[in-house]
Amino acid sequence: MNREQDLIGVLRITPGAAAPQNLSSSRRDWAMRMGQGQDAAHLPGLMASLFNLCGQSHRLCSRMAVAAAQGVQDIHGAAAALQLETASEHVRRICLDWPRAAGTSEQAATLAAQATLSLKHSPLLKAPEATPSFWAAMRTWLEVSCLHMPAGDWLAAWCASPEAWLQSWSRQHKGWLPSLLVQARRSLAAHVCLRQDLALRPHAQVDDLCAWAKTWQDHSHFVLQPHWQGRFAHTGTWSRLNQNTSHALTPWLLMGYRVAELIRLCLPDARAHSGQHWLSLGAANLGAGQGVAWVEMARGLLVHQVSLDTEQRVTQLQVVAPTEWNFHPQGVVASVLAQMPPDADASTLGWLMTAFDPCVPFEVHVSKQEAPHA
């Protein structure tokens, strides 16, 4: 492990081995180490720098948690900022990470070049501001460069039958994005469905989330291996409060959820459907000098909890990020890895990790099978 990996952490996966031995993480709780003793006013900026992937979502969540601890509400402009940050992150992951998962073949290199060219033409690279004209330009970019059809029509077909539509659309069109999804399906189609009851939604009831947050206020280890009501949940674009996920969830379909959410974020505002009204966020006071905040960010549900002393300095800080849910040693990815053969090919593993999107790199280790006795 190099110095950079030592700082940011790395996931170690072992296909074919049983959970929890098949997945481990060297991630550390840097938030508490760096945040304790800081002036509350400086904490949001520090969190944005510490978690530079989705940094603005961490800044926003930290800002709301600090305000809640101070007994005030600070959500001005929050929905618009979250919408822009999340859309930007989806575009980066789709255009940069998905082609990388396709491998190093000549076809993969061609798709990667097309995706990079598409990204260069994205309005997101031109100092974006969340104005109606910007989102109109984003819809046009999506329709021309990615979807090859009207964005609203794509989303309507997806909502009617997600898996059938994703299969049909990706087979009908020859662009770089449908071609990548065809490749991903070849690797991921055979793998298990996710349990619907383990989709993480503690923020459905604010009182429940506050009660839950109080149970881990003084447990620093919780942020690295979290649980909800004693269970190891999963979180992502498929577990939004406004999302109906009554159908089967597969790792491949999770990639379709990311495309669908990018479309939703670019469409005009509609309550519980699109624009600023799609993602959920909020904050609550937990007592004197204590606050909790949550945002539905690109990778899933993010929660910040902070405690302040009378001089407005941080005494306790917990940040529970999506990666710790999905890559829990007894979580959803560990469950999939356990059902894979020990010699699972690199393409399958790459697409699996891409579908769940960890914010840290990963290493693959081969399971050591005991030789049979004579």
Side-chain angles (χ1 to χ4, degrees), residues 82-94:
L82 184 61
Q83 176 192 17
L84 181 59
E85 163 84 349
T86 305
S88 301
E89 183 65 9
H90 286 334
V91 169
R92 288 192 290 266
R93 299 288 70 81
I94 292 171

Side-chain angles (χ1 to χ4, degrees), residues 313-371:
R313 293 194 174 274
V314 177
T315 59
Q316 290 286 335
L317 175 64
Q318 290 89 20
V319 174
V320 186
T323 293
E324 273 59 59
W325 290 102
N326 292 336
F327 296 90
H328 190 289
Q330 293 177 293
V332 60
V333 173
S335 176
V336 176
L337 289 169
Q339 300 182 53
M340 287 183 166
D343 60 349
D345 63 83
S347 176
T348 297
L349 293 171
W351 281 118
L352 174 67
M353 300 301 278
T354 298
F356 285 96
D357 191 20
C359 58
V360 293
F362 69 94
E363 298 175 349
V364 180
H365 290 253
V366 178
S367 176
K368 294 182 179 179
Q369 300 290 330
E370 184 177 347

Side-chain angles (χ1 to χ4, degrees), residues 29-164:
D29 181 16
W30 288 111
M32 181 61 176
R33 296 187 189 190
M34 301 295 290
Q36 191 171 35
Q38 293 285 335
D39 188 296
H42 299 154
L43 188 63
L46 176 62
M47 292 298 99
S49 298
L50 185 60
F51 300 96
N52 58 354
L53 288 180
C54 298
Q56 296 308 311
S57 294
H58 280 275
R59 182 193 303 273
L60 173 63
C61 200
S62 177
R63 189 188 88 193
M64 294 193 304
V66 167
Q70 295 169 333
V72 297
Q73 191 176 57
D74 183 8
I75 60 172
H76 176 71
L82 184 61
Q83 176 192 17
L84 181 59
E85 163 84 349
T86 305
S88 301
E89 183 65 9
H90 286 334
V91 169
R92 288 192 290 266
R93 299 288 70 81
I94 292 171
C95 292
L96 298 175
D97 290 357
W98 289 16
R100 193 176 299 125
T104 57
S105 67
E106 184 177 344
Q107 181 189 18
T110 299
L111 294 176
Q114 292 172 349
T116 300
L117 182 62
S118 178
L119 178 61
K120 288 179 179 179
H121 289 98
S122 168
L124 285 167
L125 298 186
K126 302 174 183 177
E129 294 183 9
T131 62
S133 60
F134 165 76
W135 291 116
M138 278 295 297
R139 290 194 297 276
T140 299
W141 174 79
L142 272 175
E143 293 169 351
V144 173
S145 297
C146 304
L147 304 177
H148 314 288
M149 64 179 295
D153 292 350
W154 195 103
L155 186 62
W158 162 268
C159 292
S161 183
E163 185 166 12

